[in-house]
Amino acid sequence: MNLYANDLLAQPIGLLLAMLVGLGFGFWLERAGFGSSRKLTAIFYLHDFAVLKVMFAAMATAAVGLQLLGGLGYVDLDALYVPESILWPQLVGGLLFGVGFVAGGWCPGTAAVGVASGKLDAVLFLIGAGAGSLAFAPLQTSFADFLHAGTCSVGSLPAQLGVSGPVGAAALLVVALVAFVGATKVERWMQRRSQA
Amino acid sequence: MQRPYWNPYLAGVGLGLTLLFSYAVLGTGLGASGGITRLAASAAHAVAPAAVEQSPWLGSYFADGSPLAYYLVTMLAGTLLGGLLSAAAAGRVRVTIERGPTAGAGLRLGLALVGGGLAGLGARFASGCTSGQALSGGAMLQTGSFVFTGACFAAAFAVAPLVKKEW
């Protein structure tokens, strides 16, 4: 049984193991080059699709791994904490977040890696992100109904489509592989264009 | 001398295995914005304790003691430390304001602050950021996570021409 299901995430064992997970998280982000805001935002100008490649590779690896471990009985997929699907606030939150991402040059996790790499703009981004979080406090009351708009009783896309989890993970893997091919084609095309 | 970054597919698979480990052991995925929110809440609490405790949402963080005694805060600290270890080993730690050749430092820092504000607010509307929603929810194939990720990239691509000068 995992720590979340045993209510241990605020206990010393949870704090320690989460820090260990964070070490791995920060390490891989930095190795990928995501301690650089210019590298992160290059995708939005079609120069460098590392963000897409890393994200899809990570999602597909974890999705396939989770379905495997779940199927073999090593992980109880029903005992995991999974964010609820609440479509309208997630749509609006995503739009706000995307504008902040390209204007600020970071997302919260990569900004932590940016700070570690000495980037002063990452420090400002994190201060802004803290302030933006606090600004949600008064809105949380005024948008109380909106924050539940589009709540899905079943949050998983494969379940909504009536297919199994493993089929969903396999589909995500296929989408990722197609995206890798497409992204590489666009990168090559942009390279040729800039040399011409 | 800076070493080159690792292959994005290799880094992605490594990141995916970290996420898988997190789900298997912690029972939850990765998260970054939650730790930032908790740090901001405790900073605000240090300045104006009564106002923070009276807020229905922020006050709930202080119901069981400090909001910092939570796995998302130590995960954020670990992320910073992991990034530092990797950057130091590759000779990539350098104090700088990262910006394009045509962008002034003031413009870059101002947009970093404003962008951070929008991202922080957006993450609270969505109950998560690129870590908690896009990666972790996506790996569990959640519809809301795909909606968040699609909206995030659509908005970023749409606004990118306006801030091109920054990069």
Side-chain angles (χ1 to χ4, degrees):
Chain A
M1 280 298 268
N2 64 61
L3 296 178
Y4 162 73
N6 288 298
D7 203 15
L8 290 172
L9 287 176
Q11 300 305 315
I13 179 77
L15 300 181
L16 194 72
L17 286 170
M19 182 166 232
L20 185 70
V21 168
L23 276 174
F25 185 30
F27 175 85
W28 290 114
L29 289 179
E30 206 287 327
R31 287 285 126 170
F34 296 171
S36 160
S37 52
R38 291 182 79 193
K39 172 98 175 162
L40 284 164
T41 50
I43 184 173
F44 302 119
Y45 305 97
L46 310 179
H47 294 304
D48 180 343
F49 281 79
V51 165
L52 177 143
K53 292 175 186 170
V54 171
M55 283 185 72
F56 261 127
M59 273 164 63
T61 300
V64 171
L66 279 164
Q67 296 302 325
L68 269 177
L69 293 181
L72 295 170
Y74 291 116
V75 172
D76 179 1
L77 298 182
D78 295 325
L80 303 179
Y81 169 78
V82 177
E84 254 191 297
S85 284
I86 314 173
L87 303 183
W88 285 107
Q90 280 160 353
L91 178 78
V92 169
L95 293 172
L96 286 169
F97 190 92
V99 175
F101 189 178
V102 70
W106 304 99
C107 61
T110 54
V113 175
V115 170
S117 308
K119 306 289 162 61
L120 297 177
D121 43 293
V123 177
L124 268 283
F125 181 92
L126 284 181
I127 293 171
S133 307
L134 294 180
F136 181 67
L139 301 179
Q140 201 259 354
T141 338
S142 31
F143 283 84
D145 290 338
F146 175 75
L147 290 171
H148 294 101
T151 302
C152 304
S153 53
V154 178
S156 131
L157 184 59
Q160 286 172 356
L161 298 175
V163 299
S164 70
V167 168
L172 179 65
L173 180 61
V174 171
V175 170
L177 293 173
V178 170
F180 295 157
V181 174
T184 306
K185 284 200 166 145
V186 176
E187 278 174 347
R188 292 211 180 117
W189 178 71
M190 288 296 287
Q191 256 171 10
R192 277 200 306 273
R193 215 180 67 150
S194 66
Q195 282 158 5
Chain B
M1 181 63 192
Q2 289 196 13
R3 307 232 175 92
Y5 299 130
W6 280 2
N7 177 294
Y9 301 117
L10 170 71
V13 170
L15 186 56
L17 293 175
T18 303
L19 175 55
L20 186 60
F21 177 84
S22 182
Y23 267 125
V25 175
L26 301 180
T28 178
L30 305 170
S33 67
I36 293 166
T37 299
R38 284 166 180 272
L39 283 170
S42 46
H45 189 259
V47 179
V52 169
E53 282 164 28
Q54 276 160 18
S55 155
W57 171 58
L58 286 175
S60 66
Y61 284 133
F62 294 85
D64 312 317
S66 170
L68 300 183
Y70 197 56
Y71 81 101
L72 283 169
V73 178
T74 55
M75 190 180 284
L76 184 65
T79 305
L80 202 137
L81 201 59
L84 180 62
L85 289 174
S86 171
R92 283 194 282 261
V93 182
R94 199 164 68 88
V95 176
T96 171
I97 299 165
E98 195 184 10
R99 60 193 200 271
T102 58
L107 173 84
R108 175 69 190 102
L109 291 179
L111 282 175
L113 187 68
V114 172
L118 290 171
L121 182 63
R124 293 286 53 88
F125 266 97
S127 325
C129 60
T130 19
S131 316
Q133 282 295 350
L135 285 180
S136 305
M140 284 298 285
L141 310 165
Q142 298 300 297
T143 307
S145 301
F146 294 133
V147 167
F148 172 84
T149 311
C152 169
F153 279 85
F157 272 105
V159 172
L162 303 178
V163 293
K164 193 165 199 266
K165 185 178 149 53
E166 199 183 353
W167 310 115

